[in-house]
Amino acid sequence: MFDICNYYEQLVTDQLWQLKEQSEETLSPSFLMDVACIALNSLPNCYVRNLVDKGAGMTEIEHQDMREAAMKAIEQAILVVNRHPHDTREE
């Protein structure tokens, strides 16, 4: 019906992709999805019609603040997910 998205979803997804590519250990899809969900639930909603429109309407400082908030949320989410054994999570 509508073509909208949560801007933080793109930031979290991009940062998790980089983390996966840079990690020496294998990060399972289940682990990454759990981290993404927990991180996104801790961030405010920021719905936009178009990711380009959102980026164009922000200063570089605002964008950097959002990237930092996303990374902090990911770091906290990793701590939460690591408290639970990986073999008990379903793929």
Side-chain angles (χ1 to χ4, degrees), residues 26-34 85-91:
T26 302
L27 303 177
S28 73
S30 177
F31 175 83
L32 293 170
M33 286 186 287
D34 288 348
H86 294 232
D87 57 356
T88 62
R89 274 188 265 121
E90 296 182 19
E91 291 293 326

Side-chain angles (χ1 to χ4, degrees), residues 1-34:
M1 179 176 195
F2 295 112
D3 188 20
I4 59 175
C5 64
N6 181 346
Y7 192 67
Y8 276 109
E9 285 182 35
Q10 187 65 49
L11 293 176
V12 168
T13 301
D14 289 348
Q15 290 182 16
L16 283 175
W17 178 259
Q18 290 175 357
L19 181 66
K20 180 181 182 213
E21 291 298 308
Q22 296 169 355
S23 179
E24 293 181 10
E25 68 179 276
T26 302
L27 303 177
S28 73
S30 177
F31 175 83
L32 293 170
M33 286 186 287
D34 288 348

